[in-house]
């Protein structure tokens, strides 16, 4: 079988995880091109890949040139968030399969365009919500699918982290409405995706309170969201970049009439509470495995495996464009609620982070 040839577009903070995932799936894929306008970043990843895989990928400052000159079937987009949609649409129109880092876009319209163009060109579109592949998360999802919770009453996602001012100063695109959003969109989206995936229902409405307390950024450094799902259950999200002096916790908790599960750890990777009425579920072996090296966890490797399997066998990946849009729309719904200072019903319609440009900060 011919290997899937990959171009990685964007060689910044998260790109080492994509190199690692490609190496760990080397039986079915290989990196052909590494692209970044700061060519030194692409060259660094090229050396990293050569050391791990024994293959020297080409480096390009311009991803469009790479796609013209190299034989590429799959584009991985790991640039600043505000460029995701533009680059993804270009690649999808070229007939490439696209795996894009979270968030897939910063507007509902762009996300919908990406989904439609992928369908039109009969290519796969996937979004990097890699924590869905964590073994404890998969275990929780199986318990839900078996009906172990009975009726799910509520779920909570808490992302209590620290991102100091230096984090934003080092990369000035962070925290801007044009290229990022605030802590909900950047730091909290993974856990928000997990929460909505577990609740077994579409979103009915959202109400949020957000503000910027400590960091000199446009977006929020603290946000709270209450979600009402169509099945009546309630989701509660608490996300902050202001915890002193360092990251405190990232926790997902699901509560039902017959079960309670709390998953924490560095990357939502440790089962902390596992209680069920069902003797079969309650007596299951709890094994959390190796602690990950960062908040990114170990999910990119199975994410790549799943996405490449979707390409080869023409099936949908676990986190398709439609799935990737769900957490992004929840956050955009929270921003719209903040902007209008009222509850927002779903779907939220055409909305973008750019519509937040004139929001008043600090005690609005």
């Amino acid at each position: 079988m011919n290997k899937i040839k990959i171009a990685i577009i964007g060689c910044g903070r998260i790109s080492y995880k994509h190199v690692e995932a490609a190496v760990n799936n080397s039986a079915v894929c290989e990196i052909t091109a590494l692209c970044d306008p700061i060519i030194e970043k692409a060259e660094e990843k090229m050396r990293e890949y050569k050391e791990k895989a024994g293959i020297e990928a080409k480096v390009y400052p311009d991803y469009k040139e790479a796609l013209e000159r190299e034989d590429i079937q799959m584009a991985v987009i790991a640039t600043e968030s505000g460029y995701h949609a533009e680059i993804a649409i270009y690649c999808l129109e070229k007939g490439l399969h696209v795996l894009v880092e979270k968030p897939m876009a910063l507007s509902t319209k762009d996300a919908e365009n990406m989904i439609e163009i992928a369908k039109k060109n009969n290519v796969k579109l996937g979004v990097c919500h890699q924590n869905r592949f964590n073994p404890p998360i998969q275990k929780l999802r199986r318990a839900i699918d078996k009906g172990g919770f009975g009726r799910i009453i509520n779920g909570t996602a808490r992302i209590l982290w620290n991102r100091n001012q230096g984090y934003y100063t080092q990369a000035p695109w962070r925290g801007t409405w044009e290229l990022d959003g605030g802590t909900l969109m950047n730091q909290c989206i993974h856990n928000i995706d997990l929460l909505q995936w577990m609740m077994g229902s579409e979103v009915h409405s959202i109400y949020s309170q957000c503000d910027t307390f400590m960091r000199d950024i446009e977006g929020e450094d603290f946000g709270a969201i209450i979600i009402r799902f169509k099945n009546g259950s309630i989701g509660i999200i608490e996300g902050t970049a202001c915890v002193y002096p360092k990251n405190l916790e990232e926790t997902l908790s699901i509560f039902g009439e017959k079960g309670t599960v709390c998953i924490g750890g560095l990357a939502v990777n440790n089962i902390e509470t596992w209680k069920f009425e069902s003797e079969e579920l309650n007596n299951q072996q709890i094994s959390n495995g190796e602690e990950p090296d960062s908040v990114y966890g170990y999910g990119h490797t199975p994410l790549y495996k799943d996405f490449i399997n979707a390409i080869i066998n023409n099936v949908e990946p676990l986190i398709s464009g439609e799935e990737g849009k769900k957490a992004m729309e929840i956050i955009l719904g929270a921003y719209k609620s903040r902007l209008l200072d009222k509850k927002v019903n779903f779907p939220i319609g055409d909305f973008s982070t750019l519509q937040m440009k004139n929001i008043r900060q600090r005690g609005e």
Side-chain angles (χ1 to χ4, degrees):
M1 183 189 73
N2 293 329
K3 294 184 180 182
I4 302 293
K5 303 295 198 304
I6 297 174
I8 294 180
I9 302 170
C11 296
R13 183 183 177 98
I14 191 66
S15 60
Y16 83 99
K17 279 294 178 184
H18 291 280
V19 171
E20 176 185 275
V23 170
N24 290 340
N25 286 279
S26 59
V28 290
C29 71
E30 66 181 48
I31 300 172
T32 299
L34 291 152
C35 313
D36 198 287
I38 302 174
I39 195 66
E40 292 80 9
K41 290 185 176 181
E43 289 171 344
E44 180 186 345
K45 292 302 140 188
M46 179 270 289
R47 290 190 291 272
E48 191 176 308
Y49 183 57
K50 184 178 180 181
E51 180 182 337
K52 293 179 176 179
I55 301 170
E56 188 169 318
K58 299 286 183 63
V59 298
Y60 291 90
D62 183 353
Y63 73 91
K64 293 180 180 178
E65 181 184 1
L67 300 186
E68 290 296 329
R69 297 184 62 170
E70 303 294 336
D71 178 24
I72 305 291
Q73 290 88 48
M74 171 179 159
V76 175
I77 302 170
T79 63
E80 298 88 338
S81 301
Y83 301 131
H84 287 176
E86 174 189 342
I87 298 171
I89 288 170
Y90 182 88
C91 294
L92 291 166
E93 291 283 26
K94 287 281 188 181
L96 301 180
H97 306 285
V98 169
L99 181 62
V100 60
E101 267 294 340
K102 60 75 187 171
M104 64 185 292
L106 295 180
S107 78
T108 53
K109 184 177 180 180
D110 281 344
E112 289 160 6
N113 284 342
M114 291 162 67
I115 292 165
E116 288 306 310
I117 292 167
K119 288 179 180 176
K120 180 187 75 174
N121 289 289
N122 195 29
V123 290
K124 304 301 176 186
L125 171 62
V127 183
C128 293
H129 284 301
Q130 71 275 1
N131 287 345
R132 286 200 192 187
F133 292 93
N134 291 353
I137 295 297
Q138 290 279 315
K139 187 182 182 74
L140 170 58
R141 177 68 193 212
R142 288 193 296 271
I144 289 171
D145 290 342
K146 288 180 179 179
F149 285 86
R151 182 183 183 187
I152 293 178
I153 299 163
N154 71 292
T156 65
R158 304 182 78 210
I159 308 93
L160 308 183
W161 284 359
N162 176 283
R163 293 293 181 270
N164 62 28
Q165 189 58 44
Y167 168 83
Y168 297 100
T169 303
Q170 184 265 334
W173 65 272
R174 292 177 183 149
T176 65
W177 291 123
E178 182 179 5
L179 295 178
D180 187 16
T183 193
L184 290 173
M185 189 68 85
N186 193 319
Q187 281 76 42
C188 303
I189 192 169
H190 284 301
N191 211 352
I192 292 171
D193 173 67
L194 296 181
L195 175 67
Q196 67 81 27
W197 192 41
M198 299 302 175
M199 299 305 283
S201 177
E202 295 178 352
V203 175
H204 175 265
S205 62
I206 276 181
Y207 179 71
S208 75
Q209 285 285 317
C210 311
D211 213 331
T212 311
F213 289 96
M214 295 180 63
R215 310 305 176 214
D216 185 16
I217 58 176
E218 292 179 343
E220 79 288 345
D221 59 16
F222 176 89
I225 308 173
I226 297 177
I227 306 172
R228 190 79 183 203
F229 291 89
K230 289 182 179 179
N231 64 5
S233 61
I234 294 173
I236 301 171
I237 296 158
E238 178 186 9
T240 180
C242 299
V243 170
Y244 176 85
K246 60 183 181 180
N247 288 1
L248 180 62
E249 67 173 277
E250 181 178 12
T251 306
L252 175 72
S253 302
I254 303 296
F255 304 93
E257 61 178 333
K258 298 179 181 180
T260 295
V261 171
C262 299
I263 300 178
L266 185 63
V268 206
N269 58 289
N270 288 331
I271 296 174
E272 297 177 349
T273 300
W274 183 271
K275 301 291 184 183
F276 287 96
E277 181 183 282
S278 162
E279 188 174 332
E280 178 189 354
L281 288 173
N282 217 31
N283 292 334
Q284 284 185 2
Q285 180 82 20
I286 304 298
S287 176
N288 288 318
E290 185 180 354
E291 189 72 5
D293 61 349
S294 74
V295 295
Y296 302 134
Y298 290 127
H300 280 86
T301 290
L303 175 79
Y304 266 56
K305 182 178 180 180
D306 175 78
F307 189 72
I308 292 169
N309 175 70
I311 294 172
I312 293 170
N313 294 302
N314 194 26
V315 296
E316 281 299 291
L318 177 63
I319 307 125
S320 62
E322 289 90 342
E323 284 295 303
K325 179 174 177 274
K326 291 178 179 179
M328 181 210 74
E329 188 171 8
I330 286 171
I331 296 163
L332 288 176
Y335 289 160
K336 187 173 184 178
S337 172
R338 178 188 179 189
L339 185 66
L340 300 178
D341 193 23
K342 67 178 185 180
K343 181 181 74 173
V344 170
N345 290 327
F346 268 51
I348 65 170
D350 186 3
F351 194 82
S352 165
T353 55
L354 291 176
Q355 291 169 249
M356 303 295 293
K357 289 286 281 185
N358 296 321
I359 193 80
R360 289 179 296 160
Q361 305 280 31
R362 298 181 176 87
E364 56 192 320

